[in-house]
Amino acid sequence: MNSGVSSPDEPSPSQEKKYDAIYAVVARVPFGCVATYGQIATYVPRCTPRQVGYALARLDTASDVPWHRIINREGRVSLPGSAGTTQRERLRAEGIAFNRRGQIDFARHGWTDDAS
DNA sequence: CCTATGACTGGTC
DNA sequence: TGACCAGCCATAG
C-alpha cells in the first residue's frame, strides 16, 4: 500500500540517473587526457556546462569518477582551494604537463571522442 | 513562489 | 588574453 509515501515521480532516482550520464562521459576520458565542462555537456543532451560542474561538485573526492580530468575552457583547474591543488597533483600523476601559466595544452592532452 | 549563487561557455570588444 | 554580458539548470534560503 501506501506506506505514507506518495512518490509521484520519485525525483531522487531520476536525478541520480541524469548525473550518471555525466559521470559516464567523464569515465570515458582515457588516462592522460583531459576534457572541458562544455565537452562533457556536448555529449549529454539537455545538459549545460553549469550542470556538469554541479554534478561534479556533488561528487566525492574518492568517487570512482575521474573528475580530476575535467577542467574549464581555459585549460586550467576551476576548483578553489586545496581541491584544485589535489586535482593538479592527480593530473600530474597521469603524465599531464602544465604550461608556463599553469595551463594544460589541449593540443597535447585534449580528449577527442573519435573512438565513439 | 521567488531570488541568489555556482567546479561554465560563447560571443563581442 | 582579458573583461563584460546573457543563457543555462539545480540547489539553497
Side-chain angles (χ1 to χ4, degrees), chain A residues 20-104:
Chain A
D20 184 46
I22 298 174
Y23 304 144
V25 177
V26 176
R28 258 162 121 175
V29 181
F31 185 95
C33 287
V34 295
T36 67
Y37 298 95
Q39 182 95 36
I40 303 301
T42 300
Y43 289 99
V44 182
R46 256 110 62 180
C47 185
T48 58
R50 277 273 186 199
Q51 228 32 35
V52 177
Y54 236 101
L56 296 176
R58 293 293 252 153
L59 264 178
D60 204 356
T61 37
S63 193
D64 303 317
V65 181
W67 56 269
H68 58 264
R69 289 182 191 146
I70 309 303
I71 55 180
N72 62 13
R73 74 174 181 184
E74 294 182 17
R76 228 181 181 194
V77 178
S78 302
L79 274 108
S82 54
T85 306
T86 302
Q87 185 171 5
R88 285 187 197 175
E89 285 286 296
R90 284 203 169 192
L91 294 171
R92 200 82 166 102
E94 297 203 352
I96 297 176
F98 289 80
N99 275 343
R100 215 190 312 192
R101 293 192 193 132
Q103 301 180 243
I104 299 176

